[in-house]
């Protein structure tokens, strides 16, 4: 069955790379914004009977990119696509994955339900904040972890490496990166002094003194988490601190914050466009797509 890759307005070039790797035809969605701010999309080709792979990341402005994706999914179904696969490199709203306070929306659930009901038969995303969230999507889904690619970027720069997750939630990423580098890993444990209220970060299992430390996380938004981790690791004696993340949202002077906190170099993947988005996730996505498309 014929398969075609469709690049949405927020595909950041990943659509083109995937199509080349899979040797598939690639088309761009026609797209414009009406004077009142509403989005318009149009498929420039026939979709009848085809497997349609729509690539659209949900980086800022998230809501606009989400609506464009919903329009594209629904239209693809209407136009007779046999199978619709949504490739969403950055899945926005993933951090609101439960009700932290009564009355809140579980945003990722709403987003995944919307993608499914708009017409996504399958979903591929990259390093979603918590993999379990994908259970809210009632179709097949694949979470691609781009650690091999991120680690490859740093591999030759690190001497006596050590991988650290900035919190317990990110420890799986640290473990996988450490396995690739064949080095130890740990996470920073947060504790609060009950009397002073002061927060401190500590490491239980490893000694960072005189080692190059690679901090890995899914998202850098304001840079606060990475900056805090870097400062602490430097205090603990790390020689140099490198930072790797998948999604570089970089809000409110995040990069400056990291430099001030002693981060030697920071790199991200291209799920979100930014000046540090140097590592492509296209090969990893193409590999995942091979499991979902029938040729
Ligand atoms: C939190 O659990 C995430 O994994 C990231 O650590 C967090 O979202 C980063 O945000 P910021 O850069 O604003 O500290």
């Amino acid at each position: 069955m014929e398969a075609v890759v469709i690049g949405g307005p927020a595909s950041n070039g990943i659509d083109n790379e995937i199509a080349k790797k899979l040797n598939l035809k690639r088309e761009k969605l026609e797209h414009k914004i009406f004077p009142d701010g509403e989005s318009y999309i149009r498929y420039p080709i026939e979709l009848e009977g085809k497997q349609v792979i729509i690539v659209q990341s949900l980086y800022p402005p998230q809501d606009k990119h989400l609506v464009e994706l919903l329009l594209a999914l629904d239209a693809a179904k209407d136009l007779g696509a046999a199978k619709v696969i949504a490739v969403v490199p950055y899945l926005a709203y993933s951090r609101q994955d439960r009700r932290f306070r009564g009355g809140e929306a579980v945003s990722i659930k709403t987003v995944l339900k919307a993608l499914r009901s708009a017409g996504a038969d399958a979903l591929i995303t990259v390093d979603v904040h918590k993999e379990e969230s994908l259970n809210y999507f009632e179709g097949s889904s694949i979470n691609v972890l781009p650690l091999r690619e991120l680690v490859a970027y740093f591999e030759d720069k690190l001497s006596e490496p050590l991988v650290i997750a900035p919190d317990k939630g990110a420890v799986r990423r640290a473990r996988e990166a450490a396995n690739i580098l064949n080095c130890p890993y740990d996470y920073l444990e947060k504790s609060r002094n009950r009397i002073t209220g002061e927060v401190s970060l500590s490491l239980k299992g490893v000694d960072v003194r005189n080692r190059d430390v690679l901090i890995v996380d899914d998202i850098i938004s304001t840079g606060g988490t990475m900056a805090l981790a870097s400062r602490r690791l430097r205090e603990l004696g790390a020689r140099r601190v490198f930072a790797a993340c998948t999604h570089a949202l970089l809000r409110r002077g995040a990069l400056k914050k990291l430099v001030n906190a002693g981060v030697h170099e920071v790199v991200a993947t291209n799920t979100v466009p930014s000046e540090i988005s140097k590592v492509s996730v296209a090969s990893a996505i193409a590999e995942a797509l091979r499991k979902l498309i029938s040729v």
Side-chain angles (χ1 to χ4, degrees), residues 85-146:
I85 301 173
V87 173
V88 186
Y90 172 58
L91 185 57
Y93 289 100
S94 64
R95 283 174 291 176
Q96 184 69 25
D97 56 7
R98 64 189 170 93
R99 215 160 261 130
F100 298 93
R101 293 176 60 211
E104 288 179 345
V106 181
S107 311
I108 189 60
K109 176 164 95 159
T110 311
V111 168
L112 290 173
K113 277 167 74 178
L115 296 185
R116 176 72 175 162
S117 65
D121 297 305
L123 169 72
I124 294 179
T125 189
V126 181
D127 199 0
V128 62
H129 183 60
K130 279 212 190 84
E131 198 160 62
E132 306 84 274
S133 305
L134 293 181
N135 292 333
Y136 290 126
F137 181 78
E138 291 177 356
S140 41
S141 59
I142 299 179
N143 179 38
V144 169
L145 265 190

Side-chain angles (χ1 to χ4, degrees), residues 22-87:
L22 295 175
N23 209 10
L24 294 174
K25 197 169 160 207
R26 197 265 332 214
E27 294 286 346
K28 280 310 272 185
L29 264 186
E30 284 177 23
H31 161 251
K32 66 181 176 186
I33 311 277
F34 287 111
D36 60 2
E38 291 176 2
S39 296
Y40 163 99
I41 62 110
R42 177 180 177 272
Y43 286 92
I45 53 161
E46 294 286 323
L47 300 183
E48 186 76 44
K50 293 181 185 162
Q51 300 175 89
V52 178
I53 299 153
I54 303 170
V55 184
Q56 170 86 342
S57 202
L58 299 184
Y59 51 78
Q62 295 89 331
D63 298 357
K64 179 147 277 308
H65 292 152
L66 174 61
V67 169
E68 289 161 354
L69 176 58
L70 294 173
L71 296 177
L73 291 168
D74 192 38
K77 275 278 153 158
D78 270 358
L79 293 165
K83 180 170 183 177
V84 178
I85 301 173
V87 173

Side-chain angles (χ1 to χ4, degrees), residues 95 129-130 166-167 169-170 173 217-227 249-251 254 257:
R95 283 174 291 176
H129 183 60
K130 279 212 190 84
D167 54 41
R173 294 181 189 91
D217 206 358
D218 57 339
I219 295 172
I220 297 178
S221 179
T222 64
T225 306
M226 278 285 191
L249 294 170
L250 307 186
R251 304 286 114 175
K257 223 177 271 170

